[in-house]
Amino acid sequence: MASLSISLSSNLSATRSSNSISDLYLSSSISPQSLRFCGLRRAAFTPLKSSSSKQLVSKQCRGKLSVCASANGTVSGGFDYDLVIIGAGVGGHGAALHAVEKGLKTAIIEGDVVGGTCVNRGCVPSKALLAVSGRMRELQNEHHMKAFGLQVAAAGYDRQAVADHANNLASKIRNNLTNSMKNLGVDILTGVGSVVGPQKVKYGKAGLPDTTITAKNIIIATGSVPFVPKGVEVDGKTVITSDHALKLETVPEWIVIVGSGYIGLEFSDVYTALGSEVTFVEALDQLMPGFDPEIGKLAQRVLINPRKIDYHTGVFASKITPAKDGKPVLIELIDAKTKEPKDTLEVDAALIATGRAPFTKGLGLENINVETQRGFIPVDERMQVIDANGTLVPHLYCIGDANGKLMLAHAASAQGISVVEQVTGHDHVLNHLSIPAACFTHPEISMVGLTEPQAREKAEKEGFEVSIAKTSFKANTKALAENEGEGIAKLIYRPDNGEILGVHIFGLHAADLIHEASNAMALGTRIQDIKFAVHAHPTLSEVLDELFKSAKVKAGVSSPVGEPVSV
Amino acid sequence: MAHLLNTSFISTTKTPSLYRPATLLAQPQLKKPTKIQAKIREIFMPALSSTMTEGKIVSWVKSEGDKLSKGESVVVVESDKADMDVETFYDGYLAAIMVDEGGVAAVGSAIGLLAETEEEIQMAKDKASTNAGSSSAPVAAAAAAPAPVEAAVSVSAPKANDSAPKAKSVTGSSVHPASEGGKRIVASPYAKKLAKELKVDLSGVVGTGPMGRIVAKDVEAAAATGVVVDTAKTNVSVKPDAGPKVELGSVVPFTAMQAAVSRNMLESLAVPTFRVGYTISTDALDALYKKIKSKGVTMTAMLAKATALALAAHPVVNSSCRDGKSFTYNSSINIAVAVAIDGGLITPVLPDADKVDIYTLSRKWKELVDKARAKQLQPHEYTTGTFTLSNLGMFGVDRFDAILPPGTGAIMAVGASQPTIVGTKDGRIGMKNQMQVNVTADHRVIYGADLASFLQTLAKIIEDPKDLTF
């Protein structure tokens, strides 16, 4: 649907100058027949006739000619913009692109650098470091190399070159992001944005007068910053957060990582590959909270136990003092429950990976009577902001880490797209359970939907049965060819109707493999249907093929494979 | 927890060899010629992976007397990599647990009994108690079976039922010093891990890392003084400092490795051996060692290299007598070096030691020791030696004599290099570092003169070691 409306709108704007408006309606109404060649079924066109996106396009075209020719839309109703987004991270960028596609005149306000955490201090540079660590790990594993018949002399690395790779990648992606918005005509406004009142935003650089603009709709997408617990003194050299760690200014001999979630795990992968020894400090009773317990257990066997890593669980780091005056970094551990002192660690560095805190200060939320909860902006399931009285604030939305629903870059982007869908007249509620997550260790971990305990709890409450299916990478030809047979995929499903409740993968390229499952969940595809899908052989995707095939669903095929379509 | 096994997991492992119904946990009693009634079924240790030969019982989900219904998890089994829930195919009662938690059983051996009715529980229990002896026997048999005979010493996969009690005794003996409120011990994660593996007590280790921290190499150094390189080929593991606690008055059966050592020792009695000794000055070798130590060269590698070079000049000393009728002149010079590891002895092999340069040889040696420690040596890495070296020098042993490993022609026992007062030919007295070596050889193929000239060559090489580094 979405892509269809683009092609239509560009057709329209191209022919618009020589045709009357009635001609336009005519040309779009005959399209089902004339466009058949492009391979779309006729049925796909039918709802479009009444779709508001088409009306929107034609409405704009009645406006100013010059604006209509460019990609960014024009505004109706006396506003400066249709949509103003505060924060140009991945969430804001995703929303902006989709808004332009939907014909909205869009501006994005950024007080720092385009790309936000993900591109500059998060997912992107960390992937560069992990790419290095993966190769180091492989080259250092003589046993693995020998199994291939390869001989490699001692592998080494140049720290600065590794750091440069991460930095270069970040700037490249940042430029791509900036250019993609510029090319579409999104106005990139520089300065710190805040909400002044309903549908009104100001922005400006420190010391300069602010500019106030009006917008029909506002999206807050200000993201998050690393969370630093009380008692921790961050000096950026020996006690650091992910922001500093990604610059890789040092590779300490021994580093404590506080927190064993995604961020901590990924950094442990990087540091141990580069020769550091790692100690995890985890407040909960087991490492890797949040992962499916079975996956966590296996991951611990592969990612923690054989590496130069030890850990303390069930403890808080109550006080962390950076190294100074020839003294090492001091970390005081207290029992997470009794708060009694347990141990003191003396190490070379400490990385604080205890999660992220929303960055919502100075947004002027008091002007519209919105109170944050632990810093997060409360929203409903459509990302519309809720004020202190519990009522929805019209025309104000908040996406991404700032609302805390699911602190992942791609979730923010999906939420942004969902908001744009709503403000352009399509009701849309994002199914967060179909958003995949991945941890880029070696091998990778990925997941979508519920964990097994969550599924069992839900099943108990709602009275259905839960089944589990598992496949091993050991049985996959491609994985064995790569000598990477370590790993499993796990499917949690309802045997009565074939609904997929969750999929968890630990193994080679798990992060890339999860999408077959997440897409199936997003589209509501049932196991009895997807098991007929064909996978190229030999590929890792057959792990999921096997997984679906091994599920025992009592229901039959829910619908025959769609009628054949001529292409 | 997982309900897989018979459903999903196995269906994925479609390797033909795996596609046998290895998952039948409770099989009808048709195949086994035991006297158990048809309605009492044995629960077998399942094969959870193609490489699995035995499994460890992590926990019994059910206890004896519990009612089981088809598809329920009964026991959690640990295979090479993962813990797996094992479920029953039949309704009934868990009548008897034959392998307790923490115990190990060979794939296919019975780990428990399943009775169909409550009345049969007692019958099954009786059966289990009469079978008790044999239930552990298959494990031991399976363990001993793969032990190769070729090598002087052989190692089969670590047997958890052997190591379990040991681990217990160790945790019991080494109390965590930090918890005593005494002086805290600061050791890096890898150092701690190594210490645990090598059973080194960190309280006795001096740290050389940043701020006096104990790092991996400190533990390795501490362990090296404890690592016994023993050619006497006895089972007595010499641990100078705080050896493992042994319960006095008890009889402890051989582990698989110890059984293999014992077998080889007996076999060696069929070989007519003799011994020739030699004293060699090591001043030049020590000086060279100091010079290239920083490049990762070890004394073991240097000795192996020197021996290999000497062997190259005397192929007969590298030969062996396989059938009692002929000389087998080995095509390559593979130096096996005896290494004591926990509860036994193994001889990792440095292949083609005469051709490989000293640095590569040192790296290879480090890799072999790491693997030996992790019990990951492949058979070809400890069974292919053509000449064996054994060094007890680090314990101050000045001379000893070694037993010839079957299948090889000679073994050399190396004593400590010590400052010795030496009279020189020009009538002076001087101090020299000297070590004694003693070669044991099979006299069917290697004669006294052969050994004598070999030792002369070796002495020349060690006393003028420039050839070692090429």
Side-chain angles (χ1 to χ4, degrees):
Chain A
M1 283 295 289
S3 63
L4 201 61
S5 65
I6 311 179
S7 65
L8 262 176
S9 71
S10 59
N11 275 345
L12 289 171
S13 46
T15 55
R16 194 211 43 77
S17 53
S18 57
N19 288 326
S20 71
I21 285 154
S22 59
D23 284 341
L24 285 177
Y25 277 108
L26 186 66
S27 69
S28 65
S29 64
I30 59 164
S31 56
Q33 295 299 330
S34 59
L35 284 181
R36 246 199 112 114
F37 64 89
C38 77
L40 288 160
R41 275 196 285 166
R42 188 186 188 132
F45 280 84
T46 327
L48 187 73
K49 282 183 185 169
S50 59
S51 85
S52 57
S53 75
K54 192 201 69 188
Q55 288 164 2
L56 203 87
V57 169
S58 14
K59 209 193 287 174
Q60 286 159 19
C61 294
R62 265 185 240 125
K64 277 192 238 162
L65 266 178
S66 57
V67 179
C68 204
S70 88
N72 204 351
T74 52
V75 199
S76 53
F79 291 104
D80 293 331
Y81 291 98
D82 285 317
L83 181 66
V84 165
I85 302 161
I86 306 176
V90 169
H93 174 259
L97 255 54
H98 193 61
V100 171
E101 192 178 308
K102 298 296 253 178
L104 303 185
K105 184 166 199 264
T106 309
I108 195 159
I109 301 173
E110 179 54 59
D112 188 21
V113 283
V114 170
T117 296
C118 170
V119 172
N120 301 296
R121 300 173 300 273
C123 346
V124 170
S126 68
K127 293 306 97 55
L129 297 184
L130 282 158
V132 174
S133 82
R135 281 175 177 79
M136 273 302 280
R137 221 168 259 299
E138 210 168 335
L139 293 173
Q140 285 168 339
N141 188 343
E142 279 177 53
H143 183 66
H144 184 84
M145 282 294 153
K146 231 171 240 169
F148 282 125
L150 292 176
Q151 288 164 356
V152 178
Y157 67 93
D158 170 2
R159 184 199 52 76
Q160 191 53 49
V162 176
D164 290 348
H165 172 51
N167 193 31
N168 293 343
L169 179 71
S171 49
K172 190 175 205 167
I173 304 296
R174 184 166 59 235
N175 289 340
N176 288 351
L177 235 61
T178 312
N179 290 339
S180 69
M181 291 198 288
K182 277 189 181 152
N183 290 344
L184 287 173
V186 175
D187 288 345
I188 302 177
L189 311 173
T190 316
V192 178
S194 62
V195 180
V196 199
Q199 299 179 296
K200 206 176 278 178
V201 175
K202 70 169 184 185
Y203 69 96
K205 286 177 185 161
L208 293 171
D210 288 342
T211 315
T212 303
I213 48 173
T214 56
K216 204 165 161 191
N217 289 292
I218 299 165
I219 296 180
I220 297 171
T222 44
S224 62
V225 291
F227 171 70
V228 178
K230 266 195 302 184
V232 176
E233 188 187 326
V234 172
D235 71 344
K237 293 272 181 279
T238 57
V239 179
I240 56 178
T241 66
S242 56
D243 288 2
H244 311 105
L246 288 165
K247 292 187 188 133
L248 202 73
E249 279 169 356
T250 55
V251 178
E253 276 183 49
W254 182 5
I255 184 165
V256 159
I257 299 182
V258 184
S260 66
Y262 298 73
I263 303 172
L265 265 186
E266 291 191 354
F267 275 109
S268 80
D269 197 282
V270 171
Y271 279 122
T272 52
L274 299 184
S276 302
E277 296 180 29
V278 169
T279 297
F280 272 119
V281 171
E282 173 59 55
L284 295 173
D285 285 336
Q286 64 181 54
L287 290 178
M288 295 180 251
F291 292 93
D292 183 87
E294 197 172 352
I295 298 285
K297 206 163 156 189
L298 182 62
Q300 185 172 338
R301 274 171 203 245
V302 177
L303 301 177
I304 309 272
N305 296 351
R307 297 186 180 170
K308 295 177 180 178
I309 301 177
D310 69 351
Y311 50 84
H312 299 262
T313 52
V315 289
F316 282 127
S318 59
K319 189 167 174 0
I320 300 185
T321 321
K324 55 189 155 199
D325 311 328
K327 277 195 195 150
V329 176
L330 277 177
I331 300 173
E332 287 173 23
L333 300 181
I334 58 166
D335 191 288
K337 291 189 189 90
T338 62
K339 311 285 177 210
E340 278 165 19
K342 277 200 91 166
D343 210 343
T344 305
L345 303 177
E346 297 169 24
V347 295
D348 301 319
L351 167 65
I352 312 304
T354 41
R356 303 189 57 89
F359 180 61
T360 52
K361 278 200 187 122
L363 266 174
L365 295 171
E366 61 285 353
N367 299 334
I368 41 166
N369 191 29
V370 170
E371 279 174 13
T372 59
Q373 292 167 358
R374 292 180 297 124
F376 293 109
I377 298 177
V379 293
D380 72 348
E381 79 275 13
R382 290 176 173 78
M383 309 303 138
Q384 196 168 351
V385 174
I386 301 170
D387 71 9
N389 304 327
T391 50
L392 293 174
V393 181
H395 308 296
L396 183 65
Y397 300 85
C398 175
I399 61 169
D401 289 3
N403 72 28
K405 269 187 180 290
L406 187 57
M407 295 173 87
L408 293 169
H410 49 274
S413 185
Q415 289 170 356
I417 289 168
S418 172
V419 168
V420 170
E421 281 292 307
Q422 283 166 61
V423 302
T424 52
H426 306 262
D427 190 24
H428 188 275
V429 177
L430 183 64
N431 176 11
H432 283 87
L433 278 180
S434 71
I435 297 179
C439 183
F440 294 83
T441 44
H442 296 92
E444 296 171 343
I445 311 171
S446 63
M447 70 206 73
V448 63
L450 304 174
T451 63
E452 189 179 336
Q454 288 167 342
R456 297 238 178 255
E457 195 187 322
K458 187 176 179 204
E460 185 115 336
K461 228 180 267 170
E462 297 176 17
F464 58 81
E465 209 183 315
V466 170
S467 286
I468 308 289
K470 277 181 244 181
T471 54
S472 165
F473 278 64
K474 279 198 187 97
N476 181 278
T477 311
K478 188 72 188 304
L480 291 179
E482 301 279 343
N483 266 332
E484 303 269 5
E486 195 99 69
I488 60 166
K490 174 175 176 179
L491 167 68
I492 303 159
Y493 65 101
R494 284 182 66 157
D496 56 341
N497 62 10
E499 185 188 346
I500 303 171
L501 301 172
V503 173
H504 303 263
I505 310 174
F506 173 71
L508 185 63
H509 295 305
D512 293 310
L513 291 175
I514 195 70
H515 297 97
E516 183 168 11
S518 63
N519 288 352
M521 287 177 76
L523 301 174
T525 313
R526 299 289 159 108
I527 294 167
Q528 57 270 38
D529 299 327
I530 200 169
K531 69 198 269 190
F532 289 110
V534 180
H535 297 70
H537 175 78
T539 58
L540 290 172
S541 70
E542 288 171 295
V543 170
L544 284 198
D545 189 24
E546 290 281 349
L547 187 65
F548 293 129
K549 287 196 166 97
S550 64
K552 302 258 185 297
V553 179
K554 286 164 195 151
V557 176
S558 64
S559 65
V561 180
E563 315 152 28
V565 179
S566 62
V567 286
Chain B
M1 278 301 283
H3 278 208
L4 48 146
L5 213 50
N6 57 339
T7 58
S8 53
F9 188 80
I10 289 307
S11 69
T12 66
T13 48
K14 272 188 189 158
T15 325
S17 64
L18 277 180
Y19 214 58
R20 65 201 176 93
T23 45
L24 290 188
L25 308 176
Q27 251 178 6
Q29 207 40 59
L30 301 172
K31 280 196 276 182
K32 282 225 159 181
T34 44
K35 285 166 208 146
I36 302 177
Q37 305 279 314
K39 280 176 185 170
I40 298 169
R41 297 186 163 100
E42 285 185 359
I43 299 173
F44 294 118
M45 174 62 69
L48 300 174
S49 74
S50 56
T51 53
M52 180 173 166
T53 54
E54 59 178 23
K56 183 176 169 189
I57 310 288
V58 176
S59 62
W60 282 93
V61 181
K62 302 284 178 183
S63 356
E64 287 186 7
D66 282 3
K67 192 173 187 320
L68 307 173
S69 41
K70 193 179 157 186
E72 256 187 308
S73 294
V74 182
V75 59
V76 182
V77 169
E78 178 186 298
S79 72
D80 353 11
K81 289 288 172 331
D83 289 353
M84 291 287 178
D85 280 24
V86 173
E87 58 188 36
T88 169
F89 277 4
Y90 299 95
D91 294 338
Y93 294 86
L94 181 57
I97 287 173
M98 292 161 74
V99 178
D100 286 328
E101 290 182 4
V104 174
V107 167
S109 67
I111 55 175
L113 292 178
L114 184 79
E116 199 159 276
T117 64
E118 264 178 287
E119 295 76 62
E120 283 159 353
I121 293 178
Q122 193 50 48
M123 202 157 72
K125 273 190 179 159
D126 296 344
K127 193 73 229 169
S129 58
T130 54
N131 272 15
S134 63
S135 74
S136 60
V139 184
V149 195
E150 262 181 74
V153 180
S154 62
V155 173
S156 62
K159 289 287 154 307
N161 53 351
D162 296 332
S163 56
K166 254 177 236 142
K168 260 177 218 155
S169 75
V170 167
T171 45
S173 65
S174 67
V175 278
H176 201 276
S179 62
E180 284 184 316
K183 200 171 151 279
R184 288 187 338 101
I185 287 174
V186 180
S188 82
Y190 186 46
K192 279 185 221 158
K193 221 165 246 197
L194 265 184
K196 206 168 161 193
E197 254 170 48
L198 303 177
K199 303 206 164 60
V200 170
D201 184 359
L202 284 176
S203 60
V205 177
V206 182
T208 63
M211 279 152 284
R213 168 196 309 166
I214 300 170
V215 293
K217 68 174 175 10
D218 302 330
V219 178
E220 271 166 358
T225 57
V227 168
V228 189
V229 183
D230 166 340
T231 322
K233 308 257 183 247
T234 60
N235 290 327
V236 187
S237 71
V238 190
K239 296 236 172 167
D241 47 357
K245 291 240 165 76
V246 177
E247 204 178 315
L248 299 177
S250 61
V251 176
V252 182
F254 283 158
T255 62
M257 185 196 273
Q258 290 162 341
V261 171
S262 165
R263 214 168 29 248
N264 280 326
M265 292 307 93
L266 281 176
E267 209 173 304
S268 71
L269 292 177
V271 179
T273 54
F274 74 112
R275 291 148 188 93
V276 175
Y278 209 101
T279 302
I280 303 174
S281 297
T282 60
D283 293 290
L285 188 73
D286 294 340
L288 177 66
Y289 177 55
K290 258 187 204 138
K291 223 166 80 189
I292 56 177
K293 192 179 170 184
S294 59
K295 294 176 187 165
V297 174
T298 61
M299 190 46 107
T300 303
M302 289 176 69
L303 284 173
K305 181 74 192 171
T307 309
L309 289 178
L311 285 172
H314 302 274
V316 71
V317 184
N318 195 43
S319 74
S320 61
C321 180
R322 299 270 161 89
D323 53 3
K325 283 184 258 173
S326 60
F327 289 76
T328 302
Y329 290 103
N330 292 304
S331 55
S332 44
I333 297 174
N334 299 340
I335 306 290
V337 184
V339 171
I341 58 172
D342 176 46
L345 181 57
I346 194 159
T347 54
V349 174
L350 289 164
D352 292 317
D354 56 324
K355 300 196 182 80
V356 178
D357 71 81
I358 187 78
Y359 306 103
T360 314
L361 209 59
S362 300
R363 278 197 298 276
K364 177 78 187 168
W365 179 245
K366 186 176 177 302
E367 175 198 322
L368 287 170
V369 171
D370 287 345
K371 275 190 179 173
R373 211 171 266 148
K375 307 202 171 163
Q376 282 173 342
L377 280 179
Q378 300 298 310
H380 69 87
E381 288 170 319
Y382 59 84
T383 62
T384 52
T386 58
F387 185 96
T388 313
L389 264 188
S390 179
N391 185 355
L392 289 179
M394 66 275 276
F395 301 113
V397 169
D398 64 343
R399 62 189 176 276
F400 68 108
D401 126 80
I403 295 180
L404 183 66
T408 64
I411 176 168
M412 183 162 78
V414 181
S417 173
Q418 295 169 325
T420 317
I421 298 169
V422 189
T424 55
K425 279 188 183 135
D426 53 5
R428 292 161 187 261
I429 296 174
M431 286 288 275
K432 272 188 172 177
N433 283 334
Q434 289 194 325
M435 71 175 182
Q436 299 191 35
V437 299
N438 189 10
V439 184
T440 305
D442 181 348
H443 209 302
R444 290 174 299 177
V445 287
I446 303 166
Y447 301 170
D450 297 329
L451 276 191
S453 56
F454 161 74
L455 284 168
Q456 212 169 17
T457 311
L458 178 68
K460 260 188 207 147
I461 294 171
I462 290 179
E463 286 167 7
D464 182 12
K466 61 179 187 305
D467 287 346
L468 291 185
T469 50
F470 285 32

